[in-house]
Amino acid sequence: MISQDMSSPLEAPVCRRCGMCCLRGGPTLMQADLPRLTGDVLTLETLICLRAGEWARDDARGELRPLDRECIKVAGLGGQAHPWRCRFYRDASGCAIYAHRPVQCSALFCMNTDPLEDLLAREPLLDRAKALEALAALAHIPGFYGMPDGTRALLPDLVTAHEEQNPVAPVLEAAARLGFAPKGASAVTGEEAAMDEGERQNLLDGISKAVRTEAAFRELCVERAGIPAAMLPFLLGRPMADLLAEVGLRPAATTPERPQL
């Protein structure tokens, strides 16, 4: 991963841009990355929100834990080997936006993570509210130039309504109580064995309802509010059904229950 001239043992190792960090996952954005959003480097269809309560790896602790706050990441390309592979990495040439790469990318060096840890300690993460506030000052949202002003004005309210009506944490906590959580996750309690069938069914019913109402909210955003589907991963995060599928729980699909927007 590191290129070093072994004939000069005192020479510090240097990054040779092998791409392993890009293959393993794109960066989380900091508030210092806002110029990359307003400057049309990172458009909203290239980003995804990880919401509070989602499982994520805490590299400092070396474990999976629920997020205590939301964050914005460069969306991965999917696939089995590296689902979070950075979408801007090119096998033949490296980073396609290297001159304007996010600040975490500039700070990251796999042989010495101190600069990245210092960055995370002193700089705030970017969230949807700050991103939308910055974009509201522009004449058009980069990548979505045809969006009407009325639709743009709805975006912060849709984020708030979605969080209020479809929070992630209680659903994934219920799934964990049933034994559906990532392997080695710190929050698994082992309650499943102590539950009777009625308790278990109540949890499953609540999870299924949450999946239906969350799916319906997304449909209404597109059908009634005119939100481009490509913006939904940033605006609303990943569908509840996808988050549950990640931990091995796939509630039976039924007719969506339509919420109020």
Side-chain angles (χ1 to χ4, degrees), residues 12 15 17 25 28 59 68 107-108 122 124-125 137 156 170 176 179 183-185 202 205 207-208 225 238-239 242 249:
C15 175
R17 297 176 63 183
T28 300
D59 290 326
D68 58 7
L108 177 61
R122 73 174 187 270
L125 291 170
K183 183 178 180 181
N202 284 339
D205 290 345
I207 290 170
S208 295
R238 292 180 288 173
D242 291 355
L249 182 56

Side-chain angles (χ1 to χ4, degrees), residues 123-179:
E123 297 291 341
L125 291 170
L126 181 63
D127 59 23
R128 290 170 292 180
K130 284 290 185 183
L132 291 173
E133 179 183 354
L135 292 170
L138 304 180
H140 304 282
I141 295 180
F144 297 93
Y145 296 102
M147 180 178 287
D149 290 343
T151 303
R152 288 183 61 184
L154 284 175
L155 299 182
D157 292 337
L158 288 176
V159 169
T160 300
H162 184 250
E163 284 298 322
E164 290 175 351
Q165 297 177 25
N166 305 278
V168 166
V171 178
L172 292 183
E173 287 168 5
R177 291 182 60 195
L178 292 167

